[in-house]
Amino acid sequence: SEFKEEAYLLMLDIDHFKLINDQYGHIVGDKVLKEVARLMKRVFDNTDVIARYGGDEFLILAKTSLYDMVKRTEKLRSVIETNPITFEQHVIYVTVSIGVTKIGGPNIMENIAKSDDLLYQSKTLGRNRVTF
């Protein structure tokens, strides 16, 4: 039988992104999105798929072990939290909420929905956290 690698789907949402846009405008909002994407690329490698999914949501698909996924996801959360974005005289502290699910079954929409539920749990539990 064919060996199936473990794969995980991460859904990330920038906390209070609407407030950032409202307070600083869309140019800064754009800069925040780009910076978060850059940090995602720093923590995850080019064998992983990183995609924007809606306004301030991102998906990462990674073929890796649970241990590695937990480590990298927590590193990503922490790297974003500790790298404030500067714009003119403003320093913007950004946090993210993350939901991660193990890919199960062929239906990608079901896997996305599961990650989305876990992301929502992260938001409900106070944001700036990862829920597996």
Side-chain angles (χ1 to χ4, degrees), residues 23-69:
Q23 198 174 343
Y24 302 104
H26 290 282
I27 291 168
V28 176
D30 254 16
K31 191 173 177 180
V32 168
L33 288 170
K34 283 180 186 139
E35 188 58 19
V36 167
R38 191 182 69 77
L39 293 171
M40 288 165 88
K41 282 185 201 148
R42 208 169 94 186
V43 176
F44 285 83
D45 57 46
N46 48 16
T47 62
D48 306 312
V49 179
I50 300 173
R52 190 164 164 198
Y53 188 75
D56 62 325
E57 289 185 331
F58 290 89
L59 290 174
I60 299 178
L61 178 63
K63 281 184 180 174
T64 186
S65 67
L66 176 61
Y67 172 78
D68 186 56
M69 193 65 185

